[in-house]
Amino acid sequence: MTLTDRSKTPAFKTIEEIKFPDTEKFNLKNGTPVWMHKSGTQKIVRLEFIFKAGRWYETKKLMASFTNTMLNEGTKNHTSKELALMFDYYGSFVSFYAEADRAGVVLFSLAKYLEASLILVKDILENSTFPEKELEILINNRKQEFLISQSKFSYLSGKRFMQAIFNNGHPYGKKTDISDFDKTNRDGLTGHYRNCYLNKELNILASGFWDFDLAALLNQHFGEKTYESVPEVSSHPETKEKTEKEIIIVKKPDALQSSVRIGKAAINRKHPDYAGLKVLSTLLGGYFGSRLMKNIREDKGYTYGISSYLVSNEHAGYFVIGSEVGSDVCQKAVDEIYHEINLLKENPVGKKELSLVKNYLLGSWLRMFDGPLATAETLRVLVDYGYDKTYWEKSIDVIQNITPVQLSELANRYLNENSFTEVVAGKC
Amino acid sequence: MIQFSKFTLDNGLRVIVHPDPSTPIVTINVLYNVGARDEDTERTGFAHLFEHLMFGGSANIPAYDTPLQQVGGENNAFTNNDITNYYLSLPKDNIETGFWLESDRMKALDFSQTSLDIQKSVVIEEFKQRYLNQPYGDVWLLLRPLAYKKHPYQWATIGKDIDHIKNATLEDVKSFFYSHYAPNNAILSLTGDIDPGQIKKYVKKWFGDIEKREIKQRIIPEEPPQTLPQSKTVYRDVSSNAIYKVFHMCGRLDKDYYATDLISDILSNGLSSRLYQNLIKENPLFSEINAYISGSIDPGLFIITGKVSEGVSMEQADKAILRELKKMQNEPPMEKELEKVKNKVESSLIFSDISGLNKAMNLAYYELLGNADMLNSTIEQYRKVTKEDIQEVSSKIFKEENMSTLYYLTQQSEQN
């Protein structure tokens, strides 16, 4: 046996092409769009029902989230307990979410129990009754949860940051007070239900592995009725770029660690620079080997973790750097964050580092299609924005071809310190 | 059914391969049979600190992450009281980089004072972030020593005292490596679109020349049966009173394990479970309540945690939990209720075998327990549990003298 040469990196291939999984898009008889992806080895189905029912569409605070949770609290046919018993009996999991723009229901079911579970989901979407008693319990429990979150520094800094970067009253940056829970009532929720769910347009996303005609089943249960469209909301305030840096301190004198958020409202997926800015954000703080992690965790030991994200909502995006840092080194950590941002603006990134980030990103694209559950989450972007696979192709093209000069340009265009908001919860 | 093949190298490394052509990603998982239970009473938190050092570079590779990211891979690791588990995923064409990385750090880590110093401060920040700077963050630092008096499960993986981390020396760390990290103390598992024959060649090439090492003999004091109920009350800057009850239960390989897990499911898995329906919905005494098991290899804990609703006294809350536990002891569950939790377990097990990473981790873990094949037979073990077993095991566990309770109260309640 020859001795294994450990001194050199084994030969490797750059990912040249991402093979997108097969997806089928079609409409039910009534025009409801369905995205379908079949793969995997286990007979399971993930079925998501997506509505225009997120915070963007609510007329009062907390409405989107309470309405969504209350869907499962009783229908004309079943009590909350009966629903729970049946879903559990089939071993099905149902999750409920209300996001900035969309809200929905996700059913995870063994293929053999899909139809039985699907009928229950149809019931909660069409016949929810919003019982007062269940609502009262939910309000009390959410209130208590809210009070607990008030002592989490990362929660405080995150919320305060969103309020500051989006103008007051903007649905992406609403401030919740304890009194908002008391103002939540049944009429408000049933109103939101009628406006956004009941016989309203929806998108369906199906993934997994099954051995029956799922399209026919969906047509039978969701393809008959006429669904109305949800009126667009245009009354929300515009988000303006800041011209002077805003610093907000949420004082917590006993904090062992301080929670830091630095960033701004930013372009979203619809902007041609989005894919490039995402590469820049990855380089700065989007993976374990990022500049922020290397400097602030691996070189200085100021934190357990630091990262940056670029997030896209339908009407605006945002860019944020977040970390929990030792309070004794908080100012030093903040200074290092700005130092790293400046380096991105002043010096074009080296070839080696750029090739590493590109390969890392292409690898994460492969991971986005690792099995039917991951693939479904990846498909959400196409569903929400009405894109097709050419959107993915374009994003990958940007990753493969972006140059150091383009990245510096993006840094200079979008990472201007004066446009930033800096929030520290703790002591700095 | 998860199909796999197994082989063992001459140096003792056990290998499990599961081909799955449906994914473009290969997962490589390395489980080391060492956890916080193997630590010395005076040097706690070492297994976890060590996990951090495993990324600080090995004999031929100055930084673990860079070459992996270069080929489109990603990795992470975790430590618990029983094991330390490392995993990476990467495009299948670049699988050899994964072998190179994992074998080099198994062969010889590059011990440096700088890396140790940095990781000590990172771990100290982790300690603050997870355990000290969070509401209810220190619960497990309080509960473990309340329930365990002799067994090393009395400390959390982060360690019982931050000074143990601060005082760690390079010598300590080196000796920990050579007495626990070795091919004969590890299990390697792989999933993805891979060919078992080819994998065998790679494994031999990269891991075959690592020497077998002498593993420190595991001498773990057994926890004597608890004879008196334990309780502790603390006051903290939190907004809700909380109650934590733990009972000693069997270990992972005991015949009662599956019944015990189902008991926790009857009590708290899903919105139809007893604690949720009875103590949140019908009689709203709690805003949150959960029951679960620690699932550890040595005898573990059955845990009940609840956030008490405003205006409800701790005595009321305490009694309500005990009433539910009494019911489990006094009468067997209905057939349909038992079937419901078994269905739910079946579904959870199938859903946990969807991603390559989970499959790789599960295969390695079951192999450690005795046989990777357990992954495919677990559901039968659950199906065999009878309603009489549920009642019998409940009676064994929920004895008053077997209980430890932590009352975690708001500062206002101290002033009242």
Side-chain angles (χ1 to χ4, degrees), chain A residues 156-305:
Chain A
L156 292 175
S157 63
K159 283 285 169 193
R160 198 66 194 78
F161 174 78
M162 292 301 280
Q163 289 157 23
I165 61 166
F166 291 108
N167 305 340
N168 193 24
H170 190 284
Y172 298 163
K174 281 185 192 168
K175 181 175 189 297
T176 308
D177 293 306
I178 191 81
S179 62
D180 295 319
F181 291 88
D182 298 319
K183 288 181 206 148
T184 299
N185 59 44
R186 185 173 179 278
D187 283 350
L189 305 190
T190 50
H192 189 67
Y193 176 59
R194 279 192 306 273
N195 292 341
C196 300
Y197 289 96
L198 191 59
N199 298 326
K200 289 292 185 292
E201 58 179 312
L202 75 157
N203 290 320
I204 299 176
L205 172 52
S207 73
F209 187 61
W210 53 87
D211 47 7
F212 48 82
D213 190 348
L214 181 55
L217 196 66
L218 290 173
N219 252 314
Q220 183 192 335
H221 292 289
F222 297 94
E224 301 289 346
K225 279 192 189 167
T226 309
Y227 294 147
E228 296 162 16
S229 55
V230 176
E232 274 316 316
V233 183
S234 53
S235 56
H236 294 312
E238 286 278 315
T239 308
K240 283 202 196 89
E241 172 108 356
K242 289 202 164 79
T243 50
E244 205 178 315
K245 182 161 101 178
E246 186 180 5
I247 298 180
I248 298 166
I249 312 280
V250 184
K251 271 200 187 122
K252 296 281 164 188
D254 304 329
L256 289 170
Q257 273 187 329
S258 297
S259 180
V260 178
R261 298 289 179 274
I262 295 174
K264 60 186 285 190
I267 55 172
N268 68 1
R269 213 177 281 286
K270 297 171 183 171
H271 194 283
D273 283 345
Y274 183 81
L277 193 54
K278 198 118 189 165
V279 177
L280 186 71
S281 167
T282 307
L283 185 87
L284 178 64
Y287 69 117
F288 195 86
S290 71
R291 290 184 175 194
L292 289 174
M293 273 298 256
K294 275 219 171 103
N295 180 344
I296 294 163
R297 171 176 150 141
E298 294 296 303
D299 187 43
K300 312 263 177 359
Y302 290 162
T303 182
Y304 176 51

Side-chain angles (χ1 to χ4, degrees), chain B residues 199-229:
Chain B
I199 294 295
K200 199 165 188 171
K201 280 186 206 149
Y202 281 141
V203 173
K204 277 191 182 155
K205 172 177 171 191
W206 291 103
F207 289 90
D209 67 346
I210 304 174
E211 77 285 0
K212 202 172 196 160
R213 292 175 191 144
E214 197 173 323
I215 305 304
K216 192 179 159 198
Q217 207 193 340
R218 183 173 272 157
I219 309 165
I220 294 180
E222 215 176 293
E223 185 65 23
Q226 190 174 324
T227 50
L228 284 173

Side-chain angles (χ1 to χ4, degrees), chain B residues 258-274:
Chain B
Y258 299 98
T260 312
D261 197 17
L262 288 176
I263 293 169
S264 75
D265 289 343
I266 289 174
L267 286 171
S268 137
N269 189 350
L271 298 180
S272 72
S273 62
R274 292 187 184 187

Side-chain angles (χ1 to χ4, degrees), chain A residues 6 73 88-89 91 144 360, chain B residues 74 206 272 308 339 344:
Chain A
R6 299 180 175 276
E73 291 297 331
D88 281 345
Y89 187 78
Q144 202 156 343
Y360 169 78
Chain B
E74 202 172 60
W206 291 103
S272 72
V308 181
E339 202 184 324
K344 194 120 193 181

Side-chain angles (χ1 to χ4, degrees), chain B residues 92-161:
Chain B
K92 72 167 178 177
D93 287 341
N94 297 336
I95 190 168
E96 210 166 351
T97 302
F99 284 112
W100 175 58
L101 285 163
E102 287 306 331
S103 63
D104 205 52
R105 65 179 177 178
M106 186 185 287
K107 195 175 163 76
L109 209 57
D110 177 24
F111 300 99
S112 88
Q113 191 62 48
T114 327
S115 168
L116 177 62
D117 290 342
I118 291 285
Q119 290 311 318
K120 275 157 72 169
S121 59
V122 169
V123 170
I124 290 166
E125 289 307 322
E126 182 181 359
F127 190 95
K128 291 186 203 161
Q129 182 171 329
R130 292 199 170 165
Y131 296 85
L132 305 180
N133 217 38
Q134 290 286 341
Y136 312 99
D138 60 344
V139 161
W140 280 101
L141 303 180
L142 300 164
L143 267 176
R144 287 184 172 278
L146 194 61
Y148 289 105
K149 304 297 177 197
K150 290 270 184 278
H151 193 284
Y153 286 165
Q154 67 187 275
W155 57 82
T157 44
I158 198 81
K160 63 177 167 189
D161 190 336

Side-chain angles (χ1 to χ4, degrees), chain B residues 36 70 74 107 121 152 188 202 236 321 336 385 396 407:
Chain B
Q70 181 67 47
E74 202 172 60
K107 195 175 163 76
S121 59
L188 171 69
Y202 281 141
R236 295 284 191 270
I321 294 176
K336 186 146 188 196
V385 174
K396 258 194 234 172
Y407 300 101

